[in-house]
Amino acid sequence: MIKFLLRYFRNYGGVRALISSEYLFFSFIISLLIYYFQLNINPFKLVASIIPNIVGFSIAAFAILLSISNENYMKLVSSKSKSDDNEYIVKFATTFSHFIIVQVTSLLISIPLSGDSIDISLLLMSENRTFVAEFIFGIMYIISQMILYYPIILIIATVSSLYSVTNILAKSIYYGENND
């Protein structure tokens, strides 16, 4: 499992790609807005109820797309992309892997924290917080919101990847029909 995670993270682009991700940035902005407006959203309960469905759908979509192949399609997706040295299939697998790993990670973090014992409204309403406590709470609150919104926003990246691979599939079908 460690080898897989290291290979995936290297193909993803490492820490630099994660930090420069517009999807991560957008989830950060949404989380800041939620904190600023002090919306009482327990992200852990939402993650525990929403993400399992998205994980199931993601794995099914990944499997279906990989199962729909012909010789021309495999040649096209095994070729190098114009933007870097990775094959299209590696970029596609990396995008889907990232999507699924982020979802599962958010679930692993959220399930133990989704119980009723964690009441975010009590923390938000407390008037006895010091500046340091407020700062730490703010950071933790924003991170907790990002655990919810980042996997959801990654749906856009995954759909983009699906769209690219589907275009390659369409080209392979067209190419196969015109070579018969």
Side-chain angles (χ1 to χ4, degrees):
M1 184 170 99
I2 301 288
K3 284 183 181 181
F4 159 74
L5 290 173
L6 290 172
R7 187 173 59 241
Y8 138 75
F9 202 60
R10 184 181 65 244
N11 285 336
Y12 177 72
V15 174
R16 184 177 192 166
L18 185 63
I19 291 172
S20 64
S21 167
E22 56 200 16
Y23 305 105
L24 185 64
F25 179 74
F26 191 58
S27 70
F28 176 73
I29 296 299
I30 290 173
S31 300
L32 276 177
L33 290 172
I34 289 170
Y35 179 70
Y36 178 76
F37 291 110
Q38 295 191 357
L39 300 176
N40 186 12
I41 298 173
N42 185 337
F44 305 119
K45 285 184 178 183
L46 289 173
V47 167
S49 65
I50 294 171
I51 298 297
N53 296 323
I54 297 174
V55 170
F57 176 77
S58 303
I59 292 171
F62 191 34
I64 289 169
L65 213 73
L66 289 177
S67 69
I68 303 173
S69 62
N70 60 37
E71 186 179 335
N72 295 327
Y73 175 70
M74 292 313 289
K75 283 180 189 175
L76 287 170
V77 295
S78 298
S79 62
K80 305 274 186 195
S81 72
K82 295 175 185 173
S83 60
D84 58 31
D85 288 338
N86 285 329
E87 294 89 10
Y88 289 106
I89 193 74
V90 171
K91 289 177 71 172
F92 173 71
T94 301
T95 299
F96 252 92
S97 296
H98 182 66
F99 186 44
I100 292 168
I101 288 169
V102 167
Q103 291 170 14
V104 171
T105 302
S106 71
L107 268 176
L108 290 173
I109 292 168
S110 297
I111 288 173
L113 300 172
S114 64
D116 290 332
S117 62
I118 298 179
D119 190 356
I120 290 177
S121 63
L122 291 176
L123 294 170
L124 282 173
M125 307 285 182
S126 173
E127 295 178 13
N128 296 328
R129 291 187 293 193
T130 65
F131 174 77
V132 173
E134 178 76 29
F135 181 75
I136 292 171
F137 171 76
I139 290 172
M140 297 306 292
Y141 188 79
I142 290 168
I143 290 171
S144 71
Q145 293 298 321
M146 289 177 69
I147 288 170
L148 170 63
Y149 291 106
Y150 185 51
I152 293 171
I153 292 170
L154 278 178
I155 293 171
I156 298 167
T158 306
V159 167
S160 173
S161 181
L162 271 171
Y163 181 77
S164 298
V165 172
T166 304
N167 281 335
I168 294 171
L169 178 61
K171 287 178 186 177
S172 76
I173 292 169
Y174 175 78
Y175 179 72
E177 288 175 355
N178 288 332
N179 280 341
D180 291 334

